[in-house]
Amino acid sequence: MPKILVIHGPNLDLLGTREPDIYGTTTMAEINEMMLEKAQKEGIEIEYFQSNHEGKIVDKIGEVPSEKVDLIIINPAAYTHTSLAIRDAIQAVSVPTIEVHLSNIYAREEVRQQSLIAPACIGQISGFGAYSYILALLAAANLLNRG
Ligand code: DQA
């Protein structure tokens, strides 16, 4: 069974009450539940990780080869715009990675319009709220079943 690691970056543990006009009211646990349902239908194993700490996210990505993860779905949150370390980690493990955002980062403040992570990813899904994660899972299933 192929295995996906879903990484939620800083403050995504606050989804549900965090700026609901931008991020919606769906909680991280509800997003995880929705993804699990789809993953089970696709015959994919799924693991979740959330951290507010850049180094912990880097460490987790570094464990991906030994954990036999086939694909990463990551919402790097604010680290999207600042973290060369996370990009380097993704490049180092060279596991296919999909970047996800709830909001459309290109329609927001200038500081959010650049992703340092995107060049290390296969593609990016941005702007569909909680459904962005489902779209990422469908893209992941397509990639994994193709391979
Ligand atoms: C976000 C967008 C980022 O700019 C922001 O820092 C987040 C969430 C999104 O999912 O829309 O924390 O990654």
Side-chain angles (χ1 to χ4, degrees):
M1 215 193 247
K3 183 171 167 185
I4 293 179
L5 171 65
V6 178
I7 301 177
H8 300 287
N11 300 309
L12 295 174
D13 51 336
L14 304 178
L15 286 178
T17 53
R18 175 192 179 198
E19 299 185 90
D21 45 321
I22 297 173
Y23 299 117
T25 53
T26 310
T27 64
M28 189 178 75
E30 286 165 349
I31 288 172
N32 288 349
E33 188 55 39
M34 278 162 31
M35 291 181 93
L36 182 65
E37 221 172 87
K38 279 265 183 282
Q40 281 170 344
K41 278 191 196 137
E42 299 283 347
I44 291 169
E45 187 185 337
I46 195 159
E47 183 195 332
Y48 301 101
F49 179 78
Q50 192 278 329
S51 180
N52 295 325
H53 304 276
E54 184 176 19
K56 287 190 180 163
I57 295 171
V58 170
D59 287 346
K60 187 68 187 174
I61 294 169
E63 288 165 12
V64 149
S66 61
E67 286 189 4
K68 307 244 178 300
V69 168
D70 298 293
L71 188 144
I72 300 168
I73 293 175
I74 184 168
N75 184 346
Y79 290 137
T80 305
H81 320 294
T82 62
S83 182
L84 264 185
I86 293 176
R87 168 157 118 201
D88 285 352
I90 294 168
Q91 271 163 349
V93 297
S94 70
V95 165
T97 299
I98 300 173
E99 180 181 341
V100 173
H101 300 284
L102 296 137
S103 64
N104 176 359
I105 58 171
Y106 302 100
R108 300 187 61 192
E109 311 97 286
E110 205 176 332
V111 69
R112 295 183 199 275
Q113 291 178 17
Q114 191 196 10
S115 168
L116 294 189
I117 310 301
C121 295
I122 293 187
Q124 185 195 68
I125 296 164
S126 174
F128 297 95
Y131 195 62
S132 288
Y133 287 88
I134 302 299
L135 292 172
L137 192 70
L138 293 175
N142 184 260
L143 285 165
L144 292 169
N145 295 335
R146 212 200 284 159

